[in-house]
Amino acid sequence: MRSTLAAVGLAMAGRAGARLAEVFGVSVSRSTVLRLVEELPDPQPPTPRVVGVDEYATRKGHTYGTVLVDAETRRPVDLLSDREASSLAAWLAERPGIEVVCRERAPFFAEGATVGAPQAVQVADRWHLWHNLSEAAERSVAQHRRCLQTLTPETPEPEAATAMVEETASSPWPTGHRFADRIRTRHATVHALLEAGHSRRSIQRQLGMTYGTVKRLADATRPEELFTGQWQNRLSELDEYKPYLDNRWIEGCTNAWKLWEEIVPLGYLGSYQTVRAYIFRKRTSPRPVTARPPSPRTVTSWILRRPESLAESEQLQLKTVLTKCPELDALTRHVRSFAAMLTERHGERLPEWLNAVRQDDLPSLHTLAAGIDRDRDAVIAGLTLPWNSGVVEGHVNRIKMLKRQMYGRAGFQLRKRVLLLCWLLRPAGQR
């Protein structure tokens, strides 16, 4: 029975394990279940030949540990209570049979692997390399966001309208919209009470609002200043095709039905009513209505994806941007060259790629290249060898689930559960 309760504790943790034991007709407390888990002996796995290293959080943002996984058997072999280089070095030094260390590019893991296992080949994880390149590419695109304006066609300035019409057009929520009317009513009520001599705290108590809401309403001179939020920037299926519609509008085609028929073969899946509403706004608005230029993140996604996976409209927009901006054109070449090097496992091309990056005016990529250069051997191994940290990331997610099952008591028992679950819950032939 003790072994059964210990297995239940490993699978379900304390409170849930105690509840499950009651179903079996055994009355036991959650503390007893955890104590039985703690009494289990640690497994003694053989020294791994290829070990994966990553961090996990016992308290996110404050306390981190280190998980070590046998990359060949895909099982965790140990958990360390911190992520210090000295702890990792000591663990590796006790196991001289380790030949490969898969890790991310954190400096404390690099130092620990170098000191503790100088005989091992260090392999930088490919996913983290691509993720770092993606972040650098997005920063580069953001630095050239003015080049993205080329995707928005120029429109003639409208004639001056009356101040009242302009004020109405500037409001994202017209009169009669329930959200707009509610904010206007609250704004008027708060300002009426302020003029009557009531304090903000008094208004909070009278209207049953939070102090922050009262403060925002009181600080706004006009209710339109409060018209910000999720309703203004909602994406539409038409957004991708608005540059095409704007160009056709400038060319003189203003028939909504004809424009809808033209964009359907381009991949538009929305309704005709959406196109008609957009054309109606262009026809009646005193201000020019045009598509917004794509965000730097959107353009970055076009650069990072395979060219054949882009829609025809995305290919045309990306080609327009690259034609107008030589820096982004160079960025695209470097990203695609790195992608080919990563997917085809040609790590020997890395020095050539680093030299090519330094020839162009791309500060964000220069920073990335400097970081890669400091860890060049591990990066070349990561771009050449078949090993990666994917199995380690899977166990990090598993640790998160186990930790949440026993939130507040995830101490020594967490290590026991991580190490023993793979052995007790697998068929005997797979152990």
Side-chain angles (χ1 to χ4, degrees), residues 20 75 87 278 338:
L20 183 60
R75 295 177 182 175
S87 300
Y278 182 67
F338 190 90

Side-chain angles (χ1 to χ4, degrees), residues 143-188:
Q143 291 168 358
H144 295 86
R145 63 174 66 245
R146 290 188 178 181
C147 299
L148 308 185
Q149 301 293 336
T150 59
L151 298 179
T152 304
E154 298 181 359
T155 55
E157 292 293 330
E159 296 182 0
T162 62
M164 183 177 298
V165 173
E166 289 186 355
E167 181 176 349
T168 302
S170 65
S171 174
W173 290 340
T175 303
H177 196 289
R178 63 183 184 278
F179 298 108
D181 291 344
R182 184 174 65 188
I183 288 181
R184 290 190 179 99
T185 301
R186 290 181 175 180
H187 182 271

Side-chain angles (χ1 to χ4, degrees), residues 366-407:
H366 292 175
T367 303
L368 174 67
I372 290 178
D373 216 11
R374 289 192 295 269
D375 200 19
R376 178 181 291 204
D377 292 340
V379 174
I380 292 178
L383 296 175
T384 307
L385 301 179
W387 305 110
N388 62 74
S389 300
V391 61
V392 189
E393 296 293 344
H395 280 286
V396 170
N397 286 331
R398 180 168 157 270
I399 290 173
K400 293 178 184 177
M401 183 270 292
L402 297 177
K403 180 186 69 174
R404 288 163 185 160
Q405 280 186 339
M406 50 195 306
Y407 185 76

Side-chain angles (χ1 to χ4, degrees), residues 18 62 97 154 200 254 261 289 295 315-316 340 366 397 399 417:
H62 296 273
E154 298 181 359
R200 297 185 179 186
T254 60
E261 289 181 330
V289 177
S295 66
Q315 294 180 12
L316 292 175
H366 292 175
N397 286 331
I399 290 173
R417 294 187 69 201

Side-chain angles (χ1 to χ4, degrees), residues 119-313:
Q119 79 285 353
V121 176
Q122 298 184 37
V123 178
D125 184 52
R126 290 190 293 275
W127 184 89
H128 288 94
L129 291 173
W130 182 252
H131 180 66
N132 294 340
L133 177 64
S134 302
E135 292 178 333
E138 185 172 351
R139 289 194 297 270
S140 294
V141 175
Q143 291 168 358
H144 295 86
R145 63 174 66 245
R146 290 188 178 181
C147 299
L148 308 185
Q149 301 293 336
T150 59
L151 298 179
T152 304
E154 298 181 359
T155 55
E157 292 293 330
E159 296 182 0
T162 62
M164 183 177 298
V165 173
E166 289 186 355
E167 181 176 349
T168 302
S170 65
S171 174
W173 290 340
T175 303
H177 196 289
R178 63 183 184 278
F179 298 108
D181 291 344
R182 184 174 65 188
I183 288 181
R184 290 190 179 99
T185 301
R186 290 181 175 180
H187 182 271
T189 303
V190 169
H191 279 264
L193 292 173
L194 287 173
E195 292 177 0
H198 295 271
S199 67
R200 297 185 179 186
R201 289 293 183 187
S202 174
I203 296 173
Q204 173 191 354
R205 290 190 294 270
Q206 293 181 52
L207 301 182
M209 300 178 180
T210 64
Y211 182 78
T213 301
V214 174
K215 183 178 183 300
R216 286 194 299 271
L217 291 168
D219 291 343
T221 56
R222 299 168 54 247
E224 284 72 22
E225 296 176 11
L226 302 168
F227 291 173
T228 58
Q230 59 180 330
W231 295 281
Q232 287 183 256
N233 299 313
R234 291 174 63 180
L235 297 178
S236 166
E237 288 184 303
L238 189 62
D239 288 345
E240 182 180 342
Y241 304 92
K242 285 180 180 179
Y244 178 85
L245 297 179
D246 295 339
N247 286 323
R248 294 289 288 131
W249 177 273
I250 295 174
E251 293 172 0
C253 181
T254 60
N255 185 282
W257 182 267
K258 179 174 177 55
L259 293 173
W260 175 72
E261 289 181 330
E262 291 181 5
I263 62 175
V264 166
L266 299 179
Y268 175 65
L269 301 177
S271 65
Y272 159 71
Q273 285 75 15
T274 304
V275 178
R276 183 181 65 179
Y278 182 67
I279 297 302
F280 180 78
R281 284 173 50 217
K282 293 178 71 70
R283 185 178 293 116
T284 59
S285 176
R287 296 183 177 184
V289 177
T290 59
R292 295 179 181 178
S295 66
R297 176 164 294 186
T298 299
V299 176
T300 304
S301 71
W302 297 344
I303 294 174
L304 295 173
R305 286 157 57 190
R306 294 179 181 271
E308 59 271 16
S309 69
L310 297 175
E312 183 178 353
S313 58

